[in-house]
Amino acid sequence: MADGIVLIVGGTSGIGLELARAYAGRGEPVVLTGRDSARCDDIAATVDGNAAGCALDLAKPEEIASALEGVGPVRRLVLAAIERDENSVRDYDVSRALRLITLKLVGYTEVVHVLADRLTDDASILLFGGLALRRPYPGSTTVTTVNGGVTGAVHTLAVELAPIRVNAIHPGIVGDSPAWAGKPEAVLEAVRSRTPLGRLVTMEEIVDASMFLLENGAVNGVNLEVDGGWLLR
């Protein structure tokens, strides 16, 4: 096993947590972050393998350096933290918009900045975006904008940090994720009917695609959409 940890920012729930479990199951040392220290530690304790928690709030980028003090070296860095925000132009909430933009663009970038000198020579970085960039909906203006920012950040970071690899994954609607598993059946069926696979993608499939982007040494500067073909219809 190579030296260095797997750091998953936003690893206390959903796909981030499943990715933490997958790497820990391979014998990799994993650090997962969330905003609450006690919750991070509690969730890390449920992960089979070598896992630890670290409290970190991406919406407070000025505190990220101190939060990550002593973390590293880092072999795999995953920036999976998200916040779901419906913020329409007609009822625009500036504070909510600024929080999401800060979290997803400034916060993501500050984590990379803080850890740049602690990345191993064979390190790779994965950012999480989303398909609101390609398929916007009422209230998605901020989400769509930050997902566009993620796409651009992958390109600039891959150039600036070379030869360290940087990629992004843009999941579609993930049927068994915490955000979607409890949706009304009629809502889920409407999405399935537009998806050529005839079903929704799963968290396991997003984890598998994430690990491909992190582990394949030839993949760099890629924004990978994983949606079962949903955007085709």
Side-chain angles (χ1 to χ4, degrees):
M1 183 173 61
D3 292 336
I5 65 165
V6 177
L7 175 61
I8 302 180
V9 178
T12 58
S13 64
I15 296 166
L17 178 56
E18 293 306 307
L19 191 53
R21 287 174 173 150
Y23 269 108
R26 291 173 28 148
E28 304 262 8
V30 175
V31 175
L32 52 88
T33 84
R35 290 191 297 270
D36 181 80
S37 178
R39 184 168 182 266
C40 285
D41 292 340
D42 289 345
I43 291 174
T46 71
V47 176
D48 290 335
N50 182 1
C54 174
L56 172 68
D57 187 349
L58 290 176
K60 299 177 180 178
E62 67 279 359
E63 299 177 7
I64 289 174
S66 59
L68 291 175
E69 187 175 0
V71 173
V74 177
R75 193 177 76 85
R76 300 289 181 259
L77 172 59
V78 179
L79 295 161
I82 62 170
E83 283 193 7
R84 301 185 184 279
D85 175 54
E86 291 192 13
N87 198 359
S88 70
V89 171
R90 294 185 184 278
D91 299 308
Y92 197 58
D93 186 318
V94 171
S95 62
R96 283 167 51 200
L98 286 173
R99 176 177 173 84
L100 181 57
I101 290 169
T102 301
L103 183 154
K104 195 90 172 190
L105 299 184
V106 181
Y108 273 24
T109 307
E110 176 63 4
V111 170
V112 177
H113 162 71
V114 168
L115 295 175
D117 292 336
R118 291 178 244 167
L119 297 171
T120 62
D121 291 342
D122 65 341
S124 64
I125 300 171
L126 180 67
L127 283 65
F128 269 69
L131 292 186
L133 172 63
R134 296 281 306 280
R135 182 164 281 172
Y137 52 87
S140 78
T141 295
T142 309
V143 175
T144 297
T145 300
V146 297
N147 286 342
V150 167
T151 297
V154 164
H155 298 157
T156 61
L157 292 173
V159 171
E160 285 195 33
L161 297 175
I164 291 168
R165 297 183 300 105
V166 185
N167 297 291
I169 188 165
H170 299 267
I173 293 173
V174 183
D176 60 346
S177 66
W180 282 93
K183 296 285 187 183
E185 178 58 26
V187 173
L188 298 175
E189 179 56 32
V191 180
R192 280 195 292 266
S193 68
R194 296 184 61 171
T195 304
L197 281 182
R199 64 173 178 82
L200 304 180
V201 299
T202 67
M203 289 201 292
E204 182 179 2
E205 289 168 328
I206 300 301
V207 167
D208 183 67
S210 298
M211 295 181 80
F212 161 71
L213 292 170
L214 286 160
E215 300 301 328
N216 189 297
V219 181
N220 192 27
V222 169
N223 284 277
L224 180 64
E225 298 168 353
V226 185
D227 67 346
W230 179 58
L231 287 176
L232 297 175
R233 291 180 174 171

